[in-house]
């Protein structure tokens, strides 16, 4: 297969962890005989210092012309410490999502047996957890109309959803469920919210086209509880922007290390893959950042193009690094291995399975 | 002290658990020389069958004329299984809150060492957890304007808050923090929501009148995570209606048994105390319901009137029941004790401390 992949290193540890993903992509190219055209472009704080824009036009053009995007991370202390700044790295992220129609955030939450002990939950509860959260990313109350009365004493936020916004992510989620354990849980608050009732009606209707997928609904307060009591019950979780914000953070933390978690933002025509973690500017250039989240995001990218064997080869190499304890110190305090070394180990252990 | 207390047994296990609270109130009366006038009145499904209304006028009058209200539980299978029913038990709850101006839900989350093992969280994380959640109960998106477009394809929910709604609960929360460990955490989503920014501005302003209370802010997604990673960090948590719905359910579950958790709804002039658990109709009349949540709600009632020694006497008797394993089967599977027996044990062990 031939793929053109845009590489946006971004800020902080972004470029370092992305470099390890590139090693893996090269190993996949060689081992499985693919052609990946990898093109780097500036994005985030680093792009602001160059062109004044967090998402320069050239970068956007490249992204549009690519089959997929691999992102490192975005955000810098310089801007975090300056709330007055008019141009901010994060605006680049909002704009790229909008321009490319990336309406679904996809977050796999899969327990790695090697790190069971890192979870705040008891071992028997969190063991074998394996879910994917589909969070609507461009609608809902985060993007609704905001008002503040002239005297500053009354404020409002409007949450709106349309059937179209709901159905496009719902189809993505059901398609994913079909390939997994065939269960989809819609999380809403349909006992009080009108938008939730529209979600429930729309998703229930669509569920009929996926008769082999078990479909259930859960209220958000109960879902937040179930995430702690029995996360194994979840396969695909589908929810709106705000509920997804809460649930996916909660889901991440039950795994015990945010340095291991990949994620994707997807639309109909485009997809971007990035570690769940942020730009961690304090660690920049120190060769201590965990490259696994970025590497697993690369596996998600391959899976997106149905290169499942290739994706599995990456995951297997990551597992091997866990077993051999070739990991960074954030997941194993006593470890002396750096970002580079872990990236080398994983990429060198990518092999065709028999 | 003389107190008039309205007793609303309500539905399901409500009357049974409330009966155990009455035993405790009588023991307190005797031991500490108080006069409690206890008056029962119908409320909930049982009131609908009598008068057609979940909150009959006479019950409301009684509540208004009383110093405080003790509620058992509300909700019945008959109505849960009939979504078409126009009159519902839960409407009584909404109406009583409105009529009595009960704008704050108060939920203490205190770990009982005896049941540490019941928590889904690891022992070292949840040990010594002791917080109170103040959830705004009558505003926000749950009560805002709802719309559904004529063709049924677009829906909206409006979240509004006024300075007045925020400041009245904020003062209650700060006053509570002053009597506790002197820390207050506001949970919001001020990086995206206008209402959250009004909360943050208003609460920050009010915090200056409580200089001895440490004040901090947390985004809801992070708060949901911190509740699992380090619940001990929280003393008083203050938040809006929807975020409070999620956080207080999450907080409850980390304790490992919902049968132990008291709660209150308070306003300026009125207060109602009730177990956090529901009416559990499946257990009705079986003498298996856990009366501790109701009994601890009674302790909260006494505390509300600054009868702290009296409240502590109840809590001490409850602790004794834990130590002696005189508990119901929901918290200790092997236990053979029923609701009545546990209620007798606790009320008989209420003594003046030396
Ligand atoms: Mg978040
Ligand atoms: Mg709730």
């Amino acid at each position: 297969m031939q793929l053109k992949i845009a590489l946006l290193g971004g800020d902080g540890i972004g470029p370092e962890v992305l470099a390890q993903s590139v090693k893996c992509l090269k190993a996949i190219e060689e081992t499985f005989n693919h052609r990946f055209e990898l093109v780097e472009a500036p994005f985030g704080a680093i792009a602001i210092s160059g062109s004044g824009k967090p998402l320069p036009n050239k970068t956007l053009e490249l992204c549009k012309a690519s089959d997929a995007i691999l992102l490192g991370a975005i955000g810098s202390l310089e801007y975090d410490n300056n709330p007055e700044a008019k141009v901010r790295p994060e605006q680049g992220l909002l704009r790229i999502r909008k321009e490319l129609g990336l309406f679904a955030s996809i977050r796999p939450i899969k327990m790695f047996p090697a790190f069971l002990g890192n979870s705040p939950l008891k071992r028997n509860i969190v063991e074998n957890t394996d879910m994917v959260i589909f969070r609507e990313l461009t609608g809902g109350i985060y993007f609704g109309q905001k008002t503040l009365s002239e005297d500053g004493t009354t404020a409002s936020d409007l949450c709106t959803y349309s059937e179209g916004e709901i159905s496009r992510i719902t189809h993505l989620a059901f398609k994913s469920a079909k390939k997994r354990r065939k269960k989809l849980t819609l999380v809403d608050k349909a006992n009080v919210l009108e938008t939730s009732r529209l979600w429930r009606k729309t998703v229930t209707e669509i569920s009929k086209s996926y008769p082999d997928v078990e479909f259930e609904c859960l209220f958000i307060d109960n879902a937040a509880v179930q995430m702690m009591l029995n996360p194994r019950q979840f396969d695909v979780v589908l929810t709106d922007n705000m509920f997804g914000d809460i649930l996916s953070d909660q889901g991440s933390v039950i795994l015990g290390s945010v340095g291991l978690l990949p994620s994707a933002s997807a639309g109909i025509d485009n997809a971007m893959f990035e570690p769940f973690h942020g730009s961690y500017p304090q660690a920049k250039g120190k060769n201590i950042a965990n490259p696994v989240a970025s590497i697993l995001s690369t596996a998600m990218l391959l899976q997106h193009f149905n290169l499942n064997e290739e994706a599995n080869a990456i995951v297997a190499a990551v597992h091997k690094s866990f077993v051999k304890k070739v990991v960074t110190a954030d997941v194993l305090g006593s470890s002396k291995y750096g970002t580079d070394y872990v990236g080398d180990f994983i990429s060198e252990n990518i092999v065709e399975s028999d």
Side-chain angles (χ1 to χ4, degrees), chain A residues 308-321:
Chain A
N308 295 316
E309 209 184 322
E310 290 80 346
N312 290 339
I314 291 185
V315 173
V318 167
H319 274 279
K320 188 164 175 187
S321 77

Side-chain angles (χ1 to χ4, degrees), chain A residues 189 191 219-222:
Chain A
K189 190 73 185 178
N191 52 344
F219 295 142
I220 174 64
D221 44 342
N222 190 18

Side-chain angles (χ1 to χ4, degrees), chain A residues 24-200:
Chain A
C24 294
L25 280 174
K26 293 200 163 142
I28 292 286
E29 251 188 321
E30 234 173 76
T31 314
F32 293 87
N33 247 315
H34 296 301
R35 270 293 298 138
F36 300 146
E37 186 188 345
L38 307 176
V39 191
E40 291 183 41
F43 185 49
I46 201 162
I48 300 179
S49 20
S51 68
K53 290 178 177 180
L55 176 63
N57 292 344
K58 271 197 170 170
T59 299
L60 179 60
E61 290 316 312
L62 168 70
C63 292
K64 285 185 173 170
S66 301
D67 296 298
I69 303 158
L70 257 186
L71 170 62
I74 218 160
S76 118
L77 287 180
E78 184 190 338
Y79 293 91
D80 288 352
N81 295 336
N82 177 12
E84 307 291 302
K86 286 274 169 280
V87 183
R88 310 184 66 82
E90 291 78 9
Q91 292 164 347
L93 210 51
L94 291 178
R95 185 154 174 244
I96 205 168
R97 285 181 191 155
K98 196 168 170 217
E99 294 279 350
L100 301 182
L102 306 175
F103 54 77
S105 158
I106 305 170
R107 177 93 41 93
I109 311 283
K110 190 175 159 63
M111 192 73 222
F112 297 108
F115 299 117
L116 251 179
N118 289 1
S119 173
L121 294 175
K122 283 178 181 156
R123 182 176 282 261
N124 63 322
I125 290 178
V126 76
E127 217 167 21
N128 295 320
T129 293
D130 181 4
M131 73 181 97
V132 185
I133 299 177
F134 280 74
R135 164 189 174 191
E136 204 287 327
L137 203 53
T138 56
I141 197 167
Y142 287 1
F143 291 96
Q145 200 195 341
K146 293 159 195 346
T147 72
L148 181 65
S149 65
E150 245 173 65
D151 63 358
T153 63
T154 311
S156 77
D157 295 281
L158 186 67
C159 178
T160 62
Y161 267 111
S162 71
E163 209 177 79
E165 285 174 303
I166 298 168
S167 78
R168 61 188 185 180
I169 186 173
T170 300
H171 282 289
L172 286 189
F174 269 107
K175 278 176 195 155
S176 165
K178 265 178 83 99
K179 289 196 215 159
R180 292 175 45 97
R181 297 198 316 279
K182 299 188 172 38
K183 182 175 172 188
L184 186 142
T185 305
L186 171 66
V187 173
D188 63 25
K189 190 73 185 178
N191 52 344
V192 274
L193 300 181
E194 197 65 42
T195 45
S196 284
R197 286 189 276 268
L198 184 60
W199 271 85
R200 197 168 277 210

Side-chain angles (χ1 to χ4, degrees), chain A residues 184-331:
Chain A
L184 186 142
T185 305
L186 171 66
V187 173
D188 63 25
K189 190 73 185 178
N191 52 344
V192 274
L193 300 181
E194 197 65 42
T195 45
S196 284
R197 286 189 276 268
L198 184 60
W199 271 85
R200 197 168 277 210
K201 185 175 147 253
T202 307
V203 178
T204 303
E205 197 52 42
I206 292 173
S207 73
K208 295 172 189 158
S209 324
Y210 300 89
D212 51 336
V213 177
E214 184 193 342
F215 169 55
E216 62 166 27
C217 303
L218 224 55
F219 295 142
I220 174 64
D221 44 342
N222 190 18
V225 160
Q226 295 303 321
M227 196 66 89
M228 297 165 71
L229 285 182
N230 180 14
R232 267 193 302 275
Q233 75 187 281
F234 296 116
D235 179 21
V236 171
V237 174
L238 168 64
T239 191
D240 80 3
N241 199 344
M242 192 179 65
F243 297 150
D245 187 13
I246 298 169
L247 276 186
S248 59
D249 283 353
Q250 226 198 330
S252 312
V253 92
I254 67 177
L255 294 196
S257 174
V258 88
L260 305 174
L261 293 171
S263 79
S265 324
I268 302 298
D269 301 315
N270 293 291
M272 180 164 78
F273 302 85
E274 56 180 309
F276 171 59
H277 61 66
S279 63
Y280 194 15
Q282 298 82 352
K284 181 180 177 173
K286 293 190 180 155
N287 196 31
I288 58 171
N290 193 333
V292 167
S294 178
I295 290 172
L296 290 176
S297 303
T298 311
M300 276 184 89
L301 182 155
L302 296 172
Q303 220 165 15
H304 183 76
F305 294 102
N306 280 315
L307 300 177
N308 295 316
E309 209 184 322
E310 290 80 346
N312 290 339
I314 291 185
V315 173
V318 167
H319 274 279
K320 188 164 175 187
S321 77
F322 292 166
V323 172
K324 299 279 181 194
K325 297 198 161 70
V326 181
V327 294
T328 47
D330 56 312
V331 287

